[in-house]
Amino acid sequence: MHLLNKVGKTPLIRLTMDGFNRMDIFVKLEYYNPTGSVKDRAASYILPKLLNDNLINHDTTVIESSSGNFGIALSTYCRFLNLNFLCVIDPNITPVNEVLIKNLSSEVIKVTVPDKHGGYLLSRINKVKDLLKTRENSYWINQYASCYNAEAYYESLGSEICDELDHIDYLFMGVSSGGTITGVSQRVKERFPTCKVIAVDTEGSVIFGGQAKKRYIPGVGSSMVPDILTQSRIDDVVIIEEYKAVQMCHRLLRENSMFIGGSSGLVLSAIEKYFRGKNLSIRPRVLTIFPDRGERYMDTIYNADWCNRFLSISTTVN
Ligand SMILES: Cc1ncc(COP(=O)(O)O)c(C=O)c1O
């Protein structure tokens, strides 16, 4: 069996950490997927579906706008399935992701002009729309709107969670395209109707109505509201400042020897914030995921100068 067929069945661990003693926290380590992130689940599910539905064929140019894990996963699985992949990236891409995407994709286009919000999301989407008009037989994956994105997580991650645990009180998930939380919340609520689903987002993201501002941690948050979120089953939202997520990443490295990506620190910070000061009559069972590893954030979250410059935090991690 090929390595890329080894998606899912990621380890489920119980996390013990100072300050989290009043609850049982279980974490799915999604960085065990073949290309290193939770996005393997979406890419490896969506592409065969599109082939099967004849929405794409081996002459199609598959297009997506992504400077992160989804771009890495799609470029890898397109290569594996012998598909042409064009990735639209922007200048905020990290050097590591740029090397990976450039080596794995058939073609890469980097937009350079910021949009009216000062970011690049709208510029990337406009570039994709131009490409769809000018390239015959091209197809936009569009993770923000594709029903297959959420379906991937319903079928794989959501099912695994329901098979592995006999009870869950709370599910905490970071949000970007909304695929993970939408699919998993639907599946988990079917099996555990009383489970509360808590969406986690960063300050500066507009997904849950916040004020847009410059964000530095890739992977979570968005400057537009994803269409697929309308199908999600969210009970509550916790917004976390980025520096707190980064400090939690550093703490996990020091205290638990876990080298994780920014959104993992984000969800843990959200769990801490959500339960702080709450009277708990039971010992809740909380489930979350760690979407990716720390390596992709060596130039940012695990770089002391960057932490100091962009988030005004001093750290001994470097
Ligand atoms: C690195 C990373 N990838 C993917 C996701 C999930 O995002 P989406 O909402 O696009 O499924 C997250 C969310 O926490 C993330 O941090």
Side-chain angles (χ1 to χ4, degrees):
M1 189 187 256
H2 196 282
L3 177 68
L4 294 182
N5 288 324
K6 293 276 184 199
V7 178
K9 300 208 168 47
T10 50
L12 176 72
I13 59 148
R14 181 144 169 224
L15 187 80
T16 47
M17 201 171 173
D18 271 355
F20 293 89
N21 306 330
R22 296 190 305 146
M23 60 212 82
D24 291 322
I25 301 179
F26 290 87
V27 187
K28 284 282 273 180
L29 303 181
E30 288 301 300
Y31 49 75
Y32 273 81
N33 282 306
T35 80
S37 86
V38 69
K39 292 288 187 186
D40 280 60
R41 296 192 186 259
S44 66
Y45 182 88
I46 293 171
L47 295 167
K49 277 269 174 196
L50 296 175
L51 277 168
N52 200 45
D53 293 353
N54 290 321
L55 289 168
I56 59 171
N57 56 38
H58 290 282
D59 297 319
T60 306
T61 302
V62 176
I63 302 175
E64 183 59 310
S65 145
S66 168
S67 287
N69 288 331
F70 197 42
I72 295 167
L74 274 177
S75 53
T76 308
Y77 289 92
C78 278
R79 183 164 278 221
F80 178 53
L81 294 166
N82 208 11
L83 294 164
N84 308 302
F85 180 57
L86 189 165
C87 196
V88 179
I89 62 171
D90 69 49
N92 286 334
I93 191 169
T94 63
V96 178
N97 287 3
E98 186 161 1
V99 167
L100 288 171
I101 290 175
K102 280 190 169 158
N103 278 282
L104 291 161
S105 305
S106 317
E107 213 178 321
V108 175
I109 294 179
K110 192 191 264 190
V111 299
T112 50
V113 181
D115 58 34
K116 61 180 181 200
H117 305 303
Y120 292 96
L121 181 70
L122 300 181
S123 305
R124 281 199 264 133
I125 289 173
N126 285 338
K127 172 53 80 182
V128 170
K129 288 182 175 163
D130 285 349
L131 287 164
L132 290 172
K133 276 190 226 139
T134 52
R135 299 234 175 168
E136 227 177 277
N137 191 4
S138 51
Y139 184 92
W140 180 19
I141 299 281
N142 196 0
Q143 58 169 328
Y144 282 80
S146 165
C147 62
Y148 288 145
N149 182 10
E151 200 176 289
Y153 294 102
Y154 176 93
E155 295 292 346
S156 67
L157 183 57
S159 295
E160 271 172 46
I161 290 169
C162 292
D163 288 345
E164 286 171 329
L165 291 169
D166 57 8
H167 179 74
I168 309 172
D169 297 303
Y170 293 92
L171 179 75
F172 280 74
M173 298 250 141
V175 181
S176 179
S177 73
T180 317
I181 197 164
T182 302
V184 174
S185 67
Q186 288 170 348
R187 185 73 185 82
V188 164
K189 290 253 193 187
E190 271 171 25
R191 173 79 204 281
F192 309 113
T194 58
C195 174
K196 285 213 176 325
V197 175
I198 319 296
V200 185
D201 199 6
T202 47
E203 226 181 53
S205 160
V206 306
I207 300 177
F208 298 102
Q211 195 69 29
K213 88 170 192 212
K214 176 111 180 97
R215 289 173 292 114
Y216 296 95
I217 303 178
V220 264
S222 175
S223 33
M224 68 184 197
V225 182
D227 290 346
I228 44 176
L229 260 192
T230 53
Q231 307 298 314
S232 66
R233 314 244 341 246
I234 295 170
D235 296 291
D236 223 334
V237 178
V238 178
I239 308 290
I240 297 291
E241 292 149 289
E242 288 193 305
Y243 80 90
K244 292 213 164 124
V246 170
Q247 284 175 331
M248 189 60 86
C249 290
H250 296 171
R251 219 185 118 188
L252 263 167
L253 180 57
R254 273 195 307 264
E255 294 177 23
N256 286 50
S257 311
M258 295 184 85
F259 187 37
I260 42 132
S263 59
S264 311
L266 185 84
V267 284
L268 263 192
S269 299
I271 294 170
E272 188 182 49
K273 182 174 175 183
Y274 186 84
F275 289 107
R276 193 181 306 134
K278 258 200 176 67
N279 242 335
L280 299 175
S281 54
I282 54 150
R283 190 176 169 80
R285 183 179 274 192
V286 179
L287 183 111
T288 192
I289 66 168
F290 285 176
D292 62 1
R293 278 204 170 84
E295 273 92 342
R296 294 205 174 134
Y297 304 86
M298 283 304 288
D299 302 317
T300 55
I301 291 170
Y302 295 99
N303 177 305
D305 286 343
W306 182 90
C307 290
N308 194 5
R309 199 140 50 98
F310 293 108
L311 301 178
S312 308
I313 49 175
S314 58
T315 171
T316 51
V317 171
N318 57 32

